[in-house]
Coordinates of all heavy atoms in Angstrom, one line a residue:
M1 N 120.0 72.6 122.3 CA 119.3 72.9 121.0 C 117.9 73.5 121.3 O 117.2 72.9 122.1 CB 119.3 71.7 120.2 CG 118.7 72.0 118.8 SD 119.0 70.6 117.5 CE 120.5 71.1 116.8
T2 N 117.5 74.5 120.6 CA 116.2 75.0 120.8 C 115.1 74.4 120.0 O 115.5 73.6 119.0 CB 116.2 76.6 120.5 OG1 116.4 76.7 119.0 CG2 117.3 77.3 121.3
K3 N 113.9 74.5 120.4 CA 112.8 74.0 119.6 C 112.9 74.6 118.1 O 112.7 73.8 117.2 CB 111.4 74.4 120.2 CG 111.1 73.7 121.4 CD 109.7 74.1 121.9 CE 109.3 73.5 123.3 NZ 109.9 74.1 124.4
K4 N 113.2 75.8 118.0 CA 113.2 76.5 116.7 C 114.3 75.7 115.9 O 114.0 75.5 114.7 CB 113.4 77.9 116.8 CG 113.5 78.5 115.4 CD 113.6 80.0 115.3 CE 113.6 80.6 113.9 NZ 114.2 79.8 112.9
E5 N 115.5 75.5 116.5 CA 116.5 74.9 115.7 C 116.1 73.4 115.3 O 116.4 73.0 114.2 CB 117.9 74.8 116.6 CG 118.4 76.2 116.8 CD 119.6 76.2 117.9 OE1 119.4 75.4 118.9 OE2 120.5 77.0 117.7
I6 N 115.4 72.7 116.2 CA 115.0 71.3 115.8 C 114.0 71.4 114.7 O 114.1 70.6 113.7 CB 114.4 70.7 117.1 CG1 115.5 70.4 118.1 CG2 113.7 69.4 116.6 CD1 115.0 70.2 119.5
L7 N 113.0 72.4 114.8 CA 112.0 72.5 113.7 C 112.6 72.9 112.4 O 112.1 72.5 111.4 CB 110.8 73.5 114.3 CG 110.0 73.0 115.4 CD1 109.1 74.2 115.9 CD2 109.2 71.8 114.9
D8 N 113.6 73.7 112.5 CA 114.4 74.1 111.2 C 115.0 72.9 110.6 O 115.0 72.8 109.4 CB 115.4 75.2 111.5 CG 114.9 76.6 111.7 OD1 113.6 76.8 111.4 OD2 115.6 77.5 112.3
L9 N 115.5 72.0 111.4 CA 116.1 70.8 110.9 C 115.0 69.9 110.3 O 115.3 69.3 109.1 CB 116.8 69.9 112.0 CG 118.1 70.6 112.6 CD1 118.6 69.7 113.8 CD2 119.1 70.6 111.5
I10 N 113.9 69.9 110.9 CA 112.8 69.1 110.3 C 112.3 69.8 108.9 O 112.1 69.0 107.9 CB 111.6 68.9 111.3 CG1 112.1 68.2 112.4 CG2 110.4 68.3 110.6 CD1 111.1 68.3 113.6
L11 N 112.2 71.0 108.9 CA 111.8 71.7 107.6 C 112.8 71.5 106.6 O 112.5 71.3 105.4 CB 111.5 73.2 108.0 CG 110.3 73.5 108.8 CD1 110.2 75.0 109.1 CD2 109.0 73.1 108.0
N12 N 114.1 71.6 106.9 CA 115.1 71.3 106.0 C 115.1 69.9 105.4 O 115.3 69.7 104.2 CB 116.5 71.6 106.6 CG 117.6 71.5 105.7 OD1 117.7 72.2 104.7 ND2 118.6 70.6 105.8
E13 N 114.8 69.0 106.3 CA 114.7 67.5 105.8 C 113.5 67.5 104.9 O 113.5 66.8 103.9 CB 114.5 66.6 107.0 CG 114.2 65.2 106.8 CD 115.3 64.5 105.8 OE1 116.4 64.9 105.8 OE2 114.9 63.4 105.2
R14 N 112.4 68.2 105.1 CA 111.2 68.2 104.3 C 111.6 68.7 102.9 O 111.1 68.2 101.9 CB 110.0 69.0 104.8 CG 109.1 68.2 105.8 CD 108.3 67.2 105.0 NE 107.5 67.7 104.0 CZ 107.5 67.3 102.7 NH1 108.4 66.4 102.3 NH2 106.7 67.8 101.9
S15 N 112.4 69.8 102.9 CA 112.8 70.3 101.5 C 113.7 69.3 100.8 O 113.5 69.1 99.6 CB 113.6 71.6 101.8 OG 112.8 72.6 102.3
N16 N 114.6 68.6 101.5 CA 115.3 67.6 100.9 C 114.5 66.5 100.4 O 114.8 65.9 99.2 CB 116.4 67.0 101.9 CG 117.5 68.0 102.3 OD1 117.7 69.0 101.6 ND2 118.1 67.9 103.4
Q17 N 113.5 66.1 101.1 CA 112.6 65.0 100.6 C 112.0 65.4 99.3 O 111.8 64.7 98.4 CB 111.5 64.7 101.6 CG 112.0 63.9 102.8 CD 111.0 63.8 103.8 OE1 110.0 64.3 103.9 NE2 111.2 62.8 104.9
D18 N 111.4 66.7 99.3 CA 110.8 67.2 98.0 C 111.7 67.2 96.9 O 111.3 66.9 95.8 CB 110.2 68.6 98.4 CG 109.0 68.5 99.1 OD1 108.3 67.4 99.2 OD2 108.4 69.6 99.6
K19 N 112.9 67.6 97.1 CA 114.0 67.6 96.0 C 114.2 66.2 95.6 O 114.3 66.0 94.4 CB 115.2 68.3 96.6 CG 115.2 69.8 96.6 CD 116.5 70.4 97.1 CE 116.3 71.8 97.7 NZ 117.2 72.1 98.9
K20 N 114.3 65.3 96.5 CA 114.7 63.8 96.2 C 113.5 63.2 95.6 O 113.6 62.5 94.5 CB 115.1 63.1 97.5 CG 115.5 61.7 97.1 CD 116.2 61.1 98.4 CE 116.9 59.8 98.1 NZ 117.3 59.2 99.3
W21 N 112.3 63.3 96.0 CA 111.2 62.5 95.6 C 110.1 63.2 94.9 O 109.2 62.6 94.2 CB 110.5 61.8 96.8 CG 111.4 61.0 97.7 CD1 111.9 61.3 98.9 CD2 112.0 59.8 97.4 NE1 112.8 60.4 99.3 CE2 113.0 59.4 98.5 CE3 112.0 58.8 96.3 CZ2 113.6 58.3 98.6 CZ3 112.8 57.7 96.3 CH2 113.5 57.4 97.4
G22 N 110.1 64.7 95.0 CA 109.0 65.3 94.4 C 107.7 65.1 95.3 O 107.8 64.6 96.4
E23 N 106.6 65.6 94.9 CA 105.4 65.6 95.7 C 104.9 64.2 95.7 O 104.8 63.4 94.7 CB 104.2 66.4 94.9 CG 103.0 66.5 95.7 CD 101.8 67.2 95.1 OE1 101.9 68.4 95.0 OE2 100.9 66.6 94.5
Q24 N 104.7 63.6 97.0 CA 104.3 62.3 97.2 C 102.8 62.2 97.7 O 102.4 63.0 98.5 CB 105.2 61.7 98.3 CG 106.7 61.6 97.9 CD 106.9 60.6 96.7 OE1 106.6 59.4 96.9 NE2 107.3 61.2 95.6
N25 N 102.1 61.4 97.0 CA 100.7 61.2 97.4 C 100.3 59.8 97.6 O 99.4 59.2 96.9 CB 99.8 61.9 96.2 CG 100.0 63.3 96.1 OD1 99.6 64.1 97.0 ND2 100.7 63.8 95.1
H26 N 100.9 59.2 98.6 CA 100.6 57.7 98.9 C 99.3 57.6 99.7 O 98.9 58.6 100.2 CB 101.7 57.2 99.7 CG 103.1 57.3 99.2 ND1 103.5 56.9 98.0 CD2 104.2 57.9 99.6 CE1 104.7 57.2 97.8 NE2 105.2 57.8 98.7
N27 N 98.8 56.4 99.6 CA 97.6 56.1 100.6 C 98.2 56.0 102.0 O 99.5 56.0 102.2 CB 96.8 54.9 100.2 CG 97.6 53.7 100.2 OD1 98.3 53.4 101.2 ND2 97.6 52.8 99.2
V28 N 97.3 56.0 103.0 CA 97.8 56.1 104.4 C 98.6 54.9 104.7 O 99.5 55.0 105.5 CB 96.6 56.3 105.4 CG1 96.0 57.7 105.2 CG2 95.6 55.3 105.2
Y29 N 98.3 53.7 104.1 CA 99.0 52.5 104.5 C 100.4 52.6 104.0 O 101.3 52.1 104.7 CB 98.2 51.2 103.9 CG 96.8 51.3 104.4 CD1 95.8 51.6 103.6 CD2 96.5 51.0 105.8 CE1 94.5 51.6 104.0 CE2 95.2 51.1 106.2 CZ 94.2 51.3 105.4 OH 92.9 51.4 105.9
K30 N 100.6 53.1 102.9 CA 102.0 53.3 102.3 C 102.8 54.3 103.2 O 103.9 54.0 103.5 CB 101.9 53.7 100.8 CG 103.3 54.0 100.2 CD 104.1 52.8 99.8 CE 105.3 53.1 99.2 NZ 105.4 53.5 97.9
W31 N 102.0 55.4 103.6 CA 102.7 56.3 104.4 C 103.1 55.7 105.7 O 104.2 55.9 106.2 CB 101.8 57.5 104.7 CG 101.9 58.6 103.6 CD1 100.8 58.9 102.8 CD2 102.9 59.4 103.2 NE1 101.2 60.0 101.9 CE2 102.5 60.2 102.1 CE3 104.3 59.4 103.6 CZ2 103.3 61.2 101.5 CZ3 105.1 60.4 103.0 CH2 104.7 61.2 102.0
L32 N 102.3 54.9 106.3 CA 102.6 54.3 107.6 C 103.7 53.3 107.5 O 104.5 53.1 108.4 CB 101.3 53.6 108.1 CG 100.2 54.6 108.7 CD1 98.9 53.9 109.0 CD2 100.7 55.4 109.8
A33 N 103.8 52.6 106.3 CA 104.9 51.7 106.1 C 106.2 52.5 106.1 O 107.2 52.0 106.6 CB 104.7 50.9 104.8
I34 N 106.2 53.6 105.4 CA 107.4 54.6 105.2 C 107.8 55.0 106.7 O 108.9 54.9 107.0 CB 107.2 55.7 104.4 CG1 107.0 55.2 102.9 CG2 108.3 56.7 104.5 CD1 106.4 56.2 101.9
L35 N 106.8 55.4 107.4 CA 107.0 55.9 108.8 C 107.5 54.7 109.7 O 108.5 54.9 110.4 CB 105.7 56.4 109.4 CG 105.7 57.3 110.5 CD1 106.7 58.5 110.3 CD2 104.3 57.9 110.8
G36 N 107.0 53.5 109.5 CA 107.4 52.3 110.2 C 108.9 52.0 109.9 O 109.6 51.7 110.9
E37 N 109.2 52.3 108.6 CA 110.7 51.9 108.3 C 111.6 52.9 109.0 O 112.6 52.5 109.6 CB 110.8 52.1 106.8 CG 112.2 51.9 106.3 CD 112.5 52.1 104.9 OE1 111.9 53.0 104.3 OE2 113.3 51.4 104.3
E38 N 111.2 54.1 109.1 CA 112.0 55.2 109.7 C 112.0 54.9 111.3 O 113.1 55.0 111.8 CB 111.4 56.6 109.6 CG 111.5 57.0 108.0 CD 112.9 57.1 107.5 OE1 114.0 57.0 108.2 OE2 113.1 57.1 106.3
V39 N 110.9 54.4 111.7 CA 110.9 54.0 113.3 C 111.7 52.9 113.5 O 112.5 52.9 114.5 CB 109.4 53.8 113.8 CG1 109.3 53.3 115.2 CG2 108.6 55.1 113.7
G40 N 111.8 52.0 112.6 CA 112.7 50.8 112.7 C 114.2 51.3 112.8 O 115.0 50.7 113.6
E41 N 114.5 52.3 111.9 CA 115.9 52.7 111.8 C 116.2 53.5 113.1 O 117.3 53.4 113.6 CB 116.0 53.7 110.6 CG 116.0 52.8 109.3 CD 115.9 53.7 108.1 OE1 115.8 54.9 108.2 OE2 116.1 53.1 106.9
A42 N 115.2 54.2 113.7 CA 115.5 54.9 115.0 C 115.7 53.8 116.1 O 116.6 54.0 116.9 CB 114.3 55.8 115.3
N43 N 115.0 52.7 116.0 CA 115.1 51.7 117.0 C 116.5 51.1 116.9 O 117.2 50.9 117.9 CB 114.0 50.6 116.9 CG 112.8 50.9 117.5 OD1 112.7 50.9 118.7 ND2 111.8 51.2 116.7
K44 N 117.0 50.9 115.7 CA 118.2 50.3 115.5 C 119.3 51.3 116.0 O 120.3 50.8 116.8 CB 118.5 50.1 114.0 CG 119.9 49.4 113.6 CD 119.9 49.0 112.1 CE 121.1 48.2 111.8 NZ 122.3 49.0 111.7
A45 N 119.3 52.5 115.7 CA 120.2 53.5 116.2 C 120.2 53.5 117.8 O 121.4 53.6 118.3 CB 120.0 54.9 115.6
A46 N 119.1 53.5 118.3 CA 119.0 53.5 119.9 C 119.7 52.3 120.4 O 120.4 52.4 121.4 CB 117.5 53.6 120.2
L47 N 119.3 51.1 119.8 CA 119.9 49.9 120.3 C 121.5 49.8 120.3 O 122.1 49.2 121.1 CB 119.3 48.6 119.5 CG 117.9 48.3 120.0 CD1 117.3 47.2 118.9 CD2 117.8 47.8 121.4
E48 N 121.9 50.6 119.2 CA 123.4 50.6 119.0 C 124.1 51.8 119.7 O 125.2 52.1 119.5 CB 123.7 50.7 117.5 CG 123.3 49.3 116.9 CD 123.3 49.3 115.3 OE1 123.7 50.4 114.7 OE2 123.2 48.3 114.8
S49 N 123.2 52.6 120.5 CA 123.6 53.7 121.2 C 124.3 54.8 120.3 O 125.4 55.4 120.7 CB 124.6 53.4 122.3 OG 124.0 52.5 123.2
K50 N 123.8 54.9 119.1 CA 124.3 55.9 118.1 C 123.4 57.2 118.2 O 122.5 57.3 117.4 CB 124.4 55.3 116.8 CG 125.3 54.1 116.6 CD 125.4 53.4 115.2 CE 126.4 52.4 115.1 NZ 126.4 51.7 113.8
D51 N 123.8 58.1 119.1 CA 122.9 59.2 119.4 C 122.7 60.1 118.2 O 121.6 60.6 117.9 CB 123.5 60.0 120.5 CG 123.3 59.4 121.8 OD1 122.5 58.4 121.9 OD2 123.7 60.0 122.9
S52 N 123.7 60.4 117.4 CA 123.6 61.4 116.3 C 122.6 60.7 115.2 O 121.9 61.3 114.6 CB 124.9 61.9 115.7 OG 125.6 60.9 115.2
E53 N 122.9 59.4 115.0 CA 122.0 58.7 114.0 C 120.6 58.7 114.5 O 119.6 58.8 113.7 CB 122.5 57.2 113.8 CG 123.7 57.1 112.9 CD 124.1 55.8 112.5 OE1 123.2 54.8 112.4 OE2 125.4 55.5 112.3
L54 N 120.5 58.4 115.8 CA 119.1 58.4 116.4 C 118.4 59.8 116.2 O 117.2 59.8 115.7 CB 119.2 58.1 117.9 CG 117.8 58.2 118.6 CD1 116.7 57.3 118.1 CD2 118.1 57.8 120.1
I55 N 119.1 60.8 116.3 CA 118.6 62.1 116.2 C 118.2 62.3 114.7 O 117.0 62.8 114.3 CB 119.5 63.3 116.7 CG1 119.5 63.2 118.3 CG2 119.1 64.6 116.1 CD1 120.6 64.0 118.8
N56 N 119.0 61.9 113.8 CA 118.7 62.0 112.4 C 117.5 61.3 112.0 O 116.6 61.7 111.3 CB 119.9 61.6 111.5 CG 121.1 62.4 111.4 OD1 120.8 63.7 111.6 ND2 122.3 62.0 111.2
E57 N 117.4 60.1 112.6 CA 116.2 59.3 112.3 C 114.9 59.9 112.9 O 113.8 59.9 112.3 CB 116.4 57.9 112.9 CG 117.4 57.1 112.1 CD 117.3 56.9 110.6 OE1 116.2 57.2 110.1 OE2 118.4 56.7 109.9
L58 N 115.0 60.5 114.0 CA 113.9 61.2 114.7 C 113.4 62.4 113.9 O 112.2 62.7 113.7 CB 114.2 61.7 116.1 CG 114.4 60.5 117.1 CD1 114.9 61.0 118.4 CD2 113.0 59.8 117.2
I59 N 114.4 63.1 113.2 CA 114.1 64.2 112.3 C 113.4 63.6 111.0 O 112.4 64.2 110.6 CB 115.4 64.9 111.9 CG1 115.9 65.7 113.2 CG2 115.1 65.9 110.7 CD1 117.3 66.2 113.1
Q60 N 113.8 62.5 110.5 CA 113.2 61.9 109.4 C 111.8 61.4 109.7 O 110.8 61.6 109.0 CB 114.1 60.7 108.9 CG 115.4 61.2 108.2 CD 116.3 60.0 107.9 OE1 115.8 58.9 107.7 NE2 117.6 60.4 108.0
I61 N 111.6 60.8 111.0 CA 110.2 60.5 111.3 C 109.4 61.7 111.4 O 108.2 61.7 110.9 CB 110.3 59.8 112.7 CG1 110.9 58.4 112.8 CG2 108.8 59.7 113.4 CD1 111.3 57.8 114.1
S62 N 109.8 62.8 112.0 CA 109.1 64.0 112.1 C 108.7 64.5 110.6 O 107.6 64.9 110.3 CB 109.8 65.1 112.8 OG 110.1 64.6 114.0
S63 N 109.7 64.5 109.8 CA 109.6 65.1 108.4 C 108.6 64.2 107.6 O 107.7 64.7 106.9 CB 110.9 65.1 107.7 OG 110.8 65.7 106.5
V64 N 108.7 62.9 107.8 CA 107.7 61.9 107.1 C 106.3 62.2 107.6 O 105.3 62.2 106.8 CB 108.1 60.5 107.2 CG1 106.9 59.6 106.7 CG2 109.4 60.2 106.4
S65 N 106.2 62.4 108.9 CA 104.9 62.7 109.5 C 104.2 64.0 108.9 O 103.1 64.0 108.5 CB 105.0 62.9 111.0 OG 105.4 61.7 111.6
V66 N 105.1 65.1 108.7 CA 104.7 66.3 108.1 C 104.1 66.0 106.6 O 103.1 66.4 106.2 CB 105.7 67.4 108.1 CG1 105.3 68.5 107.3 CG2 106.0 67.7 109.6
A67 N 105.0 65.3 105.9 CA 104.7 64.9 104.5 C 103.4 64.2 104.4 O 102.5 64.4 103.5 CB 105.8 64.1 103.9
M68 N 103.2 63.2 105.4 CA 102.0 62.5 105.4 C 100.8 63.4 105.5 O 99.7 63.2 104.9 CB 102.1 61.4 106.4 CG 100.8 60.5 106.5 SD 101.1 59.1 107.7 CE 99.5 58.3 107.7
I69 N 100.8 64.3 106.6 CA 99.7 65.2 106.8 C 99.5 66.0 105.6 O 98.3 66.2 105.3 CB 100.0 66.0 108.1 CG1 100.1 65.2 109.3 CG2 99.1 67.1 108.2 CD1 100.7 65.9 110.5
E70 N 100.5 66.5 105.0 CA 100.3 67.3 103.7 C 99.6 66.6 102.7 O 98.7 67.0 102.0 CB 101.8 67.7 103.2 CG 102.5 68.8 104.0 CD 103.9 69.0 103.4 OE1 104.0 68.8 102.2 OE2 104.8 69.2 104.1
S71 N 99.9 65.3 102.5 CA 99.3 64.4 101.5 C 97.9 64.2 101.8 O 97.0 64.2 100.9 CB 100.1 63.1 101.4 OG 99.4 62.2 100.5
I72 N 97.6 63.9 103.1 CA 96.2 63.7 103.5 C 95.3 64.8 103.2 O 94.3 64.7 102.6 CB 96.1 63.2 105.0 CG1 96.7 62.0 105.2 CG2 94.7 63.3 105.5 CD1 96.9 61.6 106.7
Y73 N 95.8 66.1 103.5 CA 95.0 67.3 103.2 C 94.9 67.6 101.7 O 93.8 67.9 101.3 CB 95.6 68.5 104.0 CG 95.2 68.6 105.4 CD1 96.0 68.2 106.4 CD2 93.8 69.2 105.6 CE1 95.5 68.4 107.7 CE2 93.4 69.3 106.9 CZ 94.3 68.8 108.0 OH 93.8 69.1 109.3
R74 N 96.0 67.3 101.0 CA 96.0 67.5 99.6 C 95.0 66.7 98.8 O 94.4 67.0 97.8 CB 97.4 67.3 99.0 CG 97.7 67.8 97.6 CD 99.2 67.9 97.3 NE 99.9 66.7 97.7 CZ 100.9 66.8 98.6 NH1 101.3 67.9 99.1 NH2 101.6 65.6 98.9
N75 N 94.8 65.4 99.3 CA 94.1 64.4 98.6 C 92.7 64.2 99.2 O 92.0 63.3 98.8 CB 94.8 63.1 98.5 CG 96.1 63.3 97.7 OD1 95.9 63.4 96.5 ND2 97.2 63.3 98.3
R76 N 92.3 65.0 100.1 CA 91.0 65.0 100.7 C 90.0 65.3 99.6 O 90.2 66.1 98.8 CB 90.7 65.9 101.8 CG 91.0 65.4 103.1 CD 90.7 66.4 104.2 NE 90.8 65.8 105.5 CZ 90.8 66.4 106.7 NH1 90.5 67.7 106.7 NH2 90.9 65.8 107.8
K77 N 88.8 64.5 99.6 CA 87.8 64.8 98.6 C 86.5 65.3 99.4 O 86.3 65.1 100.5 CB 87.5 63.5 97.8 CG 88.6 63.0 97.1 CD 88.3 61.8 96.3 CE 89.5 61.4 95.3 NZ 90.5 60.6 95.9
Ligands
MG1 MG1 115.9 56.9 108.0

């Protein structure tokens, strides 16, 4: 899989998040909790040797990271 294909998957997940949740403007601690939850899910998938689930969780971690960065910039004063 190419970098572009991976980045396209992350951008697609970001679009799905926006459709599901709308614009999210959490404080950094809430964002880190959301990110931590996704990291926990990636750990679980890794421990269970579920490669495709692990990849999905890594895409979600990446997508949440992008959403968090968007939120931080949007809410800077
Ligand atoms: Mg997840």
Side-chain angles (χ1 to χ4, degrees):
M1 184 169 262
T2 67
K3 287 184 183 77
K4 183 180 182 322
E5 288 169 331
I6 294 166
L7 291 172
D8 284 346
L9 290 174
I10 293 165
L11 289 173
N12 186 57
E13 174 62 20
R14 271 297 295 122
S15 294
N16 290 339
Q17 289 175 344
D18 280 345
K19 282 179 202 142
K20 186 171 183 182
W21 306 107
E23 183 181 291
Q24 298 291 297
N25 293 291
H26 307 303
N27 65 46
V28 293
Y29 304 106
K30 175 80 182 275
W31 276 118
L32 289 171
I34 293 167
L35 202 51
E37 180 186 32
E38 297 299 346
V39 171
E41 290 170 352
N43 276 290
K44 183 173 186 287
L47 287 168
E48 294 172 353
S49 300
K50 294 178 175 172
D51 281 356
S52 66
E53 279 187 36
L54 174 58
I55 289 167
N56 284 337
E57 296 303 338
L58 291 171
I59 288 165
Q60 290 170 28
I61 289 166
S62 304
S63 182
V64 169
S65 298
V66 171
M68 182 176 177
I69 293 166
E70 289 174 29
S71 175
I72 289 168
Y73 274 102
R74 193 166 45 241
N75 292 291
R76 269 188 172 168
K77 295 182 174 86

